[in-house]
Each structure stands twice: as C-alpha cells, then as structure tokens.
Amino acid sequence: NAGVTQTPKFQVLKTGQSMTLQCAQDMNHNSMYWYRQDPGMGLRLIYYSASEGTTDKGEVPNGYNVSRLNKREFSLRLESAAPSQTSVYFCATIWAGGYGYTFGSGTRLTVV
Amino acid sequence: EDQVTQSPEALRLQEGESSSLNCSYTVSGLRGLFWYRQDPGKGPEFLFTLYSAGEEKEKERLKATLTKKESFLHITAPKPEDSATYLCAVQDQDSNYQLIWGAGTKLIIKP
C-alpha cells in the first residue's frame, strides 16, 4: 500500500545521545516534511524538503538536522538529545496538487 | 501573526447526539483551511480542504463549513467510531508549504 513509513516507532534516549529518525514514502511526491507534536499544542514544522537535494528550516529547527537522501527518503537527526525534544515526530508528504498531507504513523521519542 | 484556535478542547457526546467543533483563525490571506482526524497512536488523516468563505464539504456524518474567520466541523448522529482528535490547519496565501495547526478537539462518542 502506498504511504509513508517511519522507523522506529518508539525510542528512549539518554540526554546527549544521538539518533536518526527514518522516513520513506512510496507516493513519488517531491515534498517531504518533519513535524513534532506535543500535548496541548498544534503540530510544529521542524524542517521540510521541497524536492530532492533541497532542505529548509521550519518553525522549530534548533537541535535537529535533516538529510534528503533521495526522492523517497528524508531523515531527521538529533545530534545531542535534550529532554525538551521528548515528543512525537511525524513525517509527511504532500499531494501533487499541493494540498493535503499524508502522514506516517509517528515516532514516539522520550529523552531522559 | 497567523494563529489557529480550536474549541472545545474536548467534547463528550452520546451516540446520535449531533454537535459542532470550531476552528477560528487569523491569517493575512487564506489559501486553504484543512481538517484532519487523528486516532490514538496514529498520524493525522486528511478529511477536507476548504478554500473560500461559504464553501461546504461533506463526508459521511461530517460536514465542514467556512466563514472569513472560522470553520465548523458538524457531526451529525455520531457513532462511537467517530471518536478521535480532530485537527484544523490553515495555509497563508504567502506560504507555499507551511501550515499553522490548532491543538485539536478530542471527541468522545459514548455508546
């Protein structure tokens, strides 16, 4: 089935550890996005990639880096995890018409 | 500053009891308003896009409407499977990519 696949689904890190969240889409879309979702707040954009080879900062990029490996894959890296990065992370791609995201199932990250 | 506010934060209804969720927004110019449904442990699922005041869209027991300052998601005769968090987002006319999201309304339908 076409969609967005995120790995891992759950992760616990100690403060200062690093990790990479993986995202792959098989919808042949150009644009891909990383969001974080925190209780009581709306989704916030971390980084996005309008096309292969380009990335741009969103609303809350500090503490994160991204790589658009190819058209299918867009990874999010935490170089030195902090408790403030405890959140649920969603990867998404957007329809060719420009409206309506398809989201992955999320990665629940806890930093202790 | 672009802003999206959803109300109420949570809503409990009996099965069959119709109601509405509200999404009020502030943008300089609206390119689109989006409604999503999110089930626990899953990513948001697209429901509707509305582009201009007066527009309405329907899907099963859901109907979304749009005015110049707010949108309503009307739920008619809901069933327990309609229980979810409903998210609203807007796209400013000056933005090609970024959406501004509300915090959501958690809807619980009791049998």
Side-chain angles (χ1 to χ4, degrees):
Chain A
N1 292 334
V4 179
T5 302
Q6 290 185 237
T7 55
K9 292 189 181 300
F10 301 94
Q11 184 71 48
V12 179
L13 290 179
K14 293 182 179 179
T15 298
Q17 287 185 319
S18 62
M19 79 163 294
T20 299
L21 282 65
Q22 306 287 352
C23 175
Q25 55 106 354
D26 58 5
M27 305 176 79
N28 200 35
H29 291 168
N30 288 320
S31 301
M32 297 185 73
Y33 304 78
W34 277 105
Y35 279 94
R36 61 177 289 172
Q37 187 175 40
D38 300 295
M41 302 182 70
L43 287 158
R44 291 182 293 169
L45 184 64
I46 305 171
Y47 270 93
Y48 66 95
S49 172
S51 61
E52 185 178 352
T54 68
T55 61
D56 286 287
K57 295 178 181 179
E59 181 185 356
V60 288
N62 291 344
Y64 305 96
N65 286 300
V66 290
S67 296
R68 184 73 184 267
L69 305 171
N70 48 54
K71 191 172 185 178
R72 290 188 64 248
E73 298 172 287
F74 188 37
S75 62
L76 179 71
R77 182 162 178 83
L78 287 71
E79 291 292 350
S80 179
S84 60
Q85 294 178 305
T86 293
S87 187
V88 181
Y89 292 85
F90 288 102
C91 178
T93 185
I94 199 166
W95 295 353
Y99 299 107
Y101 288 102
T102 297
F103 285 85
S105 58
T107 295
R108 185 174 294 274
L109 175 67
T110 302
V111 183
V112 298
Chain B
E1 180 183 351
D2 295 346
Q3 192 169 3
V4 176
T5 303
Q6 291 188 246
S7 61
E9 291 185 10
L11 181 62
R12 294 174 184 268
L13 300 172
Q14 290 294 134
E15 183 173 1
E17 181 184 1
S18 301
S19 189
S20 297
L21 312 182
N22 178 264
C23 172
S24 62
Y25 62 91
T26 305
V27 292
S28 56
L30 182 70
R31 176 173 287 196
L33 184 141
F34 307 83
W35 282 100
Y36 285 79
R37 169 191 171 125
Q38 186 174 24
D39 294 300
K42 296 188 177 181
E45 178 184 349
F46 174 77
L47 292 173
F48 305 109
T49 306
L50 301 168
Y51 298 102
S52 58
E55 188 175 1
E56 298 182 351
K57 288 194 176 172
E58 291 188 62
K59 180 180 181 179
E60 296 180 356
R61 294 176 292 282
L62 299 176
K63 183 169 83 170
T65 62
L66 181 64
T67 72
K68 288 187 177 180
K69 291 299 179 186
E70 58 189 350
S71 176
F72 293 93
L73 185 65
H74 307 277
I75 302 175
T76 302
K79 298 181 178 181
E81 55 262 41
D82 294 322
S83 296
T85 297
Y86 291 85
L87 304 176
C88 172
V90 299
Q91 185 173 16
D92 190 287
Q93 63 183 9
D94 296 326
S95 170
N96 284 326
Y97 303 105
Q98 186 155 350
L99 301 188
I100 308 299
W101 295 80
T105 293
K106 184 175 183 178
L107 178 66
I108 299 171
I109 308 299
K110 300 179 181 180

